[in-house]
Amino acid sequence: MRRALLPAAALAGALALTGCGSGTGSGSGSSKAELSVSGPYMPQPVSADMAAGFLTISNEGAAKDELTSVTSDVAGQVTMHSTVGGAMEEKTSFAIPAHGQLVFKSGGNHLMFEKLKRKPEQGQKVTLHLTFAKSGALTVEMPVKSATYNPSTGH
């Protein structure tokens, strides 16, 4: 029985070591930002000319990047804002750290869709284009939710 345990232990050790790699030398291209977007939504706007938008940008790569602009077919312009101590401040860019996230959420960083060309309604989707300093652009379909939508409850 001891002979059967040695190969199993050696195999388990080899598998454990395989999972410990940092990605260097693996050819995975990990020396650049690897961006993805999750949880995008726009609460149905109460105003005919302005709306807010929220999403999370994740960076699985080993290099930082920067969100430099956002555009949308539904708005004359989209601005980026941070909220610190209850005060809203417009930003020209947001850093996305390596192996980190940039979160746009109610009460914090957020997108403002200004000069709406049409008022988005619940159930529709709004297209937005995110432009990054190093990674180029990503196109995101942002669903329009109820005006009181809470992402933590899904309602």
Side-chain angles (χ1 to χ4, degrees):
M1 188 179 299
R2 186 173 173 176
R3 284 187 198 175
L5 290 177
L6 285 176
L11 178 62
L15 289 173
L17 288 174
T18 302
C20 291
S22 66
T24 55
S26 67
S28 67
S30 62
S31 63
K32 63 180 184 176
E34 295 176 22
L35 304 176
S36 62
V37 174
S38 61
Y41 76 96
M42 172 188 283
Q44 181 174 308
V46 293
S47 148
D49 61 347
M50 190 176 294
F54 309 102
L55 52 86
T56 298
I57 302 169
S58 298
N59 182 356
E60 300 296 325
K64 67 181 180 178
D65 205 339
E66 208 174 346
L67 177 63
T68 57
S69 71
V70 181
T71 59
S72 176
D73 59 344
V74 76
Q77 77 178 51
V78 181
T79 54
M80 302 180 286
H81 297 263
S82 64
T83 304
V84 181
M88 187 171 77
E89 182 179 318
E90 187 171 336
K91 298 286 193 178
T92 57
S93 65
F94 276 97
I96 307 157
H99 305 292
Q101 291 185 325
L102 169 58
V103 178
F104 290 94
K105 64 180 184 176
S106 183
N109 301 333
H110 60 280
L111 302 175
M112 291 300 301
F113 294 76
E114 301 171 15
K115 302 174 187 165
L116 292 176
K117 297 173 184 175
R118 62 176 172 82
K119 186 176 175 184
E121 300 289 333
Q122 183 176 344
Q124 295 178 340
K125 288 188 180 180
V126 171
T127 301
L128 55 148
H129 304 282
L130 309 174
T131 303
F132 301 93
K134 297 177 183 169
S135 301
L138 281 176
T139 299
V140 176
E141 291 294 314
M142 178 176 274
V144 180
K145 303 289 190 175
S146 74
T148 58
Y149 177 74
N150 181 341
S152 63
T153 63
H155 304 294

